[in-house]
Amino acid sequence: ITKINQERGMINWLKRYEELKAYQQKYGHFHVPWEDKEYPSLGQWACIQKKNKNLHKEQIRLLEDIGFFDKK
């Protein structure tokens, strides 16, 4: 069950990651409002990712690849 939950969690994480990429491509930044109508709760998710100390190496790499952790 744990493996299935981990896989579901990663699938959900990847969906949010793709939303974050789409947001950045549309607006040119990652400063998603907490209550964005087009991207509900994405701002909260993005904030959590910046503070999350338990991200997998692959998740960190994906976020780094799109410049999410860059100071702008």
Side-chain angles (χ1 to χ4, degrees):
I1 294 176
T2 302
K3 179 115 173 123
I4 292 170
N5 287 341
Q6 288 175 343
E7 288 173 8
R8 284 185 189 150
M10 188 60 176
I11 289 168
N12 290 334
W13 189 92
L14 287 169
K15 286 179 185 176
R16 299 314 310 252
Y17 169 76
E18 290 299 328
E19 288 179 13
L20 184 64
K21 280 184 12 181
Y23 183 92
Q24 195 277 335
Q25 289 172 352
K26 185 172 184 176
Y27 296 104
H29 60 79
F30 296 107
H31 306 291
V32 186
W34 276 64
E35 295 185 17
D36 189 278
K37 290 182 182 180
E38 186 178 1
Y39 298 94
S41 72
L42 183 61
Q44 294 148 340
W45 182 87
C47 183
I48 289 167
Q49 301 317 297
K50 288 224 184 227
K51 298 175 182 178
N52 191 343
K53 303 294 183 201
N54 297 313
L55 290 173
H56 296 282
K57 289 179 183 180
E58 180 66 10
Q59 292 170 319
I60 293 168
R61 185 190 64 76
L62 288 168
L63 291 169
E64 286 175 342
D65 285 351
I66 62 170
F68 181 68
F69 296 116
D70 294 351
K71 306 252 189 233
K72 291 185 181 180

